[in-house]
Amino acid sequence: MSWHQTSIALMAKALAAKEVSSMELTQYFLSRIEAEKRWNAYLDVNAHLSLEQANKADTLIAAGKGTRLTGIPVAHKDVFVTRGWKSTAASKILENYQSPFDATVVANLGMPSEKNPHGAGMVCLGKTNMDEFAMGSSNENSAFGPVLNPWNGQYVSGGSSGGSAAAVAAGLAPIATGSDTGGSIRQPSAFCGITGIKPSYGRVSRYGMIAYASSLDQAGPMGKTAEDCALLLTAMSSHDPRDSTSLADSGEDYSRFLNKPWQDSSTNSAKPLEGLRVGLPKEFFAEGLAQDVANAVNAAAKALADLGATLVEVSLPKTKLSIPVYYVLAPAEASSNLSRFDGVRYGHRANEYKDLGDMYQKSRTEGFGAEVRRRILIGTYVLCHGYYDAYYLQAQKIRRIIAADFQAAFNQCDVILGPVAPDVAWRLGEKSKDPVQMYLEDIYTLSTNLAGLPAMSVPCGFNANDLPIGMQLIGNYFSEARLLQVAHQYQQASDWHLRQASEVA
Ligand code: GLN
């Protein structure tokens, strides 16, 4: 097995046993990144800096001062500002922008220092491509070209964290960070056959994560296995006084239930998931779901039942409304968040202009791509005086109902199971001309962001064209460790997550 096929759990063991050094691992992945540029997964690499960090990591390990993750390489979605690498959110308006500080996620995972004593000591491999400002479901909205799907280069990687998903799937990073405002960790994970988790809102700091829709944005890990995601999430999470919505506690060890049975051992149950109630929302299996995706998710439900779980039908009646609600609220917040890109403080400024108004207008028109401009316009419209009550306020009210529907469902079950997306990855260009068609693809992922719940994507099959299918597991607030436990138990009994795109490609 080569390093790009190795989980970070095993990599950590190899580093601890001195079977490999961080320098060797980092060099290995940098060479693969160089050789596999065709996927367009990275926007910026800086081999010199990465190797410098690897060297530091090796020194820490030799001195017995490393954490479990010290020396393991990680790629960061370009939405996280990173000292030493460009931070562009895949937008022309931030082309070549260099941040003077690290996002909390980057610092938590990065090299420890006097100022950052709790850094996990992971090595940054570079910044991954994404949809501009995380707006999109296919990665075709990047100002620097789309990311191709490593399972088949004619298909999209999903979005907006498509670069991170493709980097892990193509073996160009052992694990990566992503962000999820309406599905951007889960959907590209599903499309690229990897595992990803969006934690509860507030679990991971948003400080230094370039804001899209602040009440929905949440960062999380994207890796090969649930176990790897648990390791990264543990290191990513912290209370952060610089993010006012950061949870008061600093998180937990998300690996702690992985190998435990669902119920405590006093029941002596023979099956690992005995006692777990899995809810299947009927609205997630209704019209619009591709048959092969439905079949794979149903087979996964049966696999969970074989592990001891009980399946129950639940209802999330407002599922369809999550699309209009999200596509009112997210643009509204975006229109406000993106007002900082005005050509004055940082980023692109038009060369010629008549006056201040003209300068704003030209800089923003030139700097933002079409989808970002569309959302700023929609967001400004729904917030304006005459329409606020009809759109923004109404959407906020339905958001509350959507969250309440989940709580009703969780009276009947412990986790909810459904598809991540209605279909597998589509062909490049197939949906990019019709934004509404693209928005409809987000139907199963948006509601968890509206409710603030944790949810993950787990590989559960392939369609007839060998494109990966993902199942979605949704948990109640702060149940990440339990979700990861269910996913890990499923992965112990299945091998979909072990199939490698890098062997097919
Ligand atoms: N596809 C959704 C959008 O375009 C979600 C994106 C995200 O989660 N960042 O807004």
Side-chain angles (χ1 to χ4, degrees), residues 77 110 157 217 265-266 439:
K77 182 177 182 178
S157 59
D217 295 344
S265 48
S266 59
Y439 301 165

Side-chain angles (χ1 to χ4, degrees), residues 240-305:
D240 185 358
R242 289 167 301 189
D243 170 2
S244 62
T245 60
S246 164
L247 296 170
D249 66 291
S250 54
E252 50 187 294
D253 174 4
Y254 294 101
S255 311
R256 74 185 197 285
F257 292 130
L258 292 182
N259 294 304
K260 297 216 169 104
W262 183 262
Q263 284 172 343
D264 64 42
S265 48
S266 59
T267 57
N268 245 344
S269 118
K271 291 186 173 176
L273 296 181
E274 198 89 53
L276 167 70
R277 296 165 306 162
V278 176
L280 302 161
K282 57 175 192 271
E283 295 81 2
F284 278 36
F285 293 88
E287 193 203 334
L289 179 64
Q291 196 54 49
D292 39 16
V293 176
N295 293 346
V297 177
N298 281 321
K302 189 174 170 306
L304 293 177

Side-chain angles (χ1 to χ4, degrees), residues 332-347:
E333 295 187 31
S335 77
S336 159
N337 273 326
L338 271 59
S339 64
R340 75 191 70 184
F341 302 104
D342 56 4
V344 178
R345 281 167 283 192
Y346 35 62

Side-chain angles (χ1 to χ4, degrees), residues 412-448:
Q412 290 170 266
C413 63
D414 305 296
V415 303
I416 290 171
L417 170 67
V420 172
D423 210 337
V424 294
W426 53 86
R427 277 182 186 275
L428 285 155
E430 197 181 313
K431 295 186 202 288
S432 42
K433 290 195 181 57
D434 182 353
V436 174
Q437 213 201 339
M438 187 97 78
Y439 301 165
L440 293 174
E441 296 297 320
D442 296 340
I443 175 132
Y444 306 128
T445 49
L446 301 174
S447 50
T448 44

